[in-house]
Amino acid sequence: MQPQPAFLLHKRPYRETSALVELLTLEHGRVRAVAQGVQRPGSRSRGRLQPFAALHVTWVGEGELKRLRLMESRGSAALLVGEGLLCGLYANELLTRTLPVELPVGEVFAFYGSLLEALPRPEGRAGSLRRLEMALLDALDAAPRFTEPDGRELDPHCHYRFDLTTRAFVPGEPGIDGRTLRLLAGGDWTKPGLAGPAKAITRAALAPLLGTRPLRSRELMRQLAQRRRAGPH
């Protein structure tokens, strides 16, 4: 096979010197594979196989679990710390938990690459995360429909709640005003005042895909926010 552009989503030790890895690839979506010998001291592949680093990979195998054959770097890893790092871990955990194996998701791959470029800058994080989440929801046929359940346009003067059954919006309080929803429907995720509603909508739409098990990255984010509110001691 031709080398595939890829990013590492998750890695854990396997046997003595290998690792089980989850990759996001350009043409094959999420791929599960064994990286043989990558945990061995002195392994050149060990330094390449890092989160947030662009890779080229090839693999062999017909089943769900592949065996990596080639791992080459496509550039240095994004240098993330603090909130930027936690946002990156959230994206990796989200894709690992929701993407079926080997479902082609080229748009998700593109938005993930854009996210890594945005994460070092605080002002770019929220919008890039929402775009990735929406691309993921689109790929899984679970994206919100910015209409009423019967297809009618949203009234800018009405408030709406997201309905999971229809993935549309029903009139109700408390809710999000129709004007805000119409801006979000046009892909305008970065205007002032839209970050909160956008996050609420994508979180509600993603909830059935994630199930009841909490995301570890969200818990870490909550702990970081608590420390910031507490301030220095």
Side-chain angles (χ1 to χ4, degrees), residues 2-14:
Q2 292 294 316
Q4 276 284 302
F7 293 98
L8 175 70
L9 297 177
H10 187 257
K11 178 177 71 172
R12 62 186 176 91
Y14 178 66

Side-chain angles (χ1 to χ4, degrees), residues 7-10 22-25 29-32 52 87-101 103 105 107-113 115-116 129 131-137 139-140 206 209-210 215 217:
F7 293 98
L8 175 70
L9 297 177
H10 187 257
E22 303 266 0
L23 301 167
L24 177 65
T25 69
R30 182 170 71 93
V31 170
R32 300 181 66 243
F52 318 123
C87 288
L89 293 175
Y90 163 74
N92 286 2
E93 190 175 10
L94 177 66
L95 296 177
T96 301
R97 287 269 297 270
T98 60
L99 276 178
V101 172
L103 173 70
V105 285
E107 191 165 284
V108 173
F109 185 92
F111 278 113
Y112 182 86
L115 172 68
L116 295 187
L129 277 173
R131 291 187 186 97
L132 175 66
E133 289 169 338
M134 285 298 294
L136 173 63
L137 288 165
L140 300 178
L206 286 164
L209 303 175
L210 289 167
L215 287 171
S217 50

